Amino acid sequence: MDPVTLVTAAAAGYLIGAISSARIVSRLVAPGQAVEEETVLRLDGTDATMRLGTVSASSVSRQHGSRAGFITYLLDVAKVAVPVAAAWHAWPEWPYYLVVSVAAFVGHVWPVYHRFRGGRGLSAIYGSLLVIDWVGMLVTAIGGML
């Protein structure tokens, strides 16, 4: 493996993964209103609450509706799937696509552009799995729903 290509793949994956689809969609759907970075969820049937300190498709969905949340999810999947697929096709003999995948996940969860406050990473994982093993992605999603 070429160390320059390895570092370039990691940096590119991180910087692309750090793009916040949730913030972009939120600004397009409701200009002037930022997506909430601190969401409080009330657990059903109890008085307990849970605080989420993430900016994700779920928080966009709660704040701006399910359509905006789903668009955010699709953009998050695409921002990881496209560079992973590009690395896979550019260097089929070396696993640079795995480096891009992990770096994009890290960028999604800890984005440098937003003081390291990002999403939870589920859509980034699905974006990687879509390219690396799409059957495994379907099995994982169906198994999770069951």
Side-chain angles (χ1 to χ4, degrees):
M1 291 180 86
D2 177 33
V4 173
T5 306
L6 184 68
V7 170
T8 303
Y14 177 83
L15 293 173
I16 292 169
I19 296 169
S20 178
S21 301
R23 288 178 175 93
I24 292 169
V25 169
S26 180
R27 286 191 183 121
L28 290 174
V29 171
Q33 180 184 3
V35 67
E36 296 174 6
E37 291 191 23
E38 183 86 12
T39 305
V40 178
L41 299 175
R42 183 162 304 283
L43 303 176
D44 291 337
T46 68
D47 291 334
T49 60
M50 181 172 74
R51 292 188 183 276
L52 297 176
T54 61
V55 178
S56 63
S58 298
S59 58
V60 171
S61 182
R62 275 190 300 282
Q63 192 172 352
H64 301 298
S66 59
R67 183 173 292 156
F70 185 66
I71 290 169
T72 303
Y73 167 76
L74 290 178
L75 290 173
D76 281 343
V77 169
K79 79 176 179 184
V80 176
V82 169
V84 170
W88 186 322
H89 291 295
W91 301 283
E93 68 279 356
W94 295 103
Y96 291 116
Y97 65 94
L98 295 176
V99 173
V100 172
S101 172
V102 170
F105 170 78
V106 171
H108 180 82
V109 177
W110 296 288
V112 68
Y113 308 127
H114 302 287
R115 299 183 326 257
F116 303 102
R117 295 186 63 158
R120 292 184 305 251
L122 186 61
S123 55
I125 291 170
Y126 279 137
S128 292
L129 283 177
L130 180 65
V131 175
I132 296 169
D133 185 12
W134 66 270
V135 175
M137 183 194 80
L138 289 177
V139 169
T140 303
I142 292 169
M145 286 186 276
L146 292 175

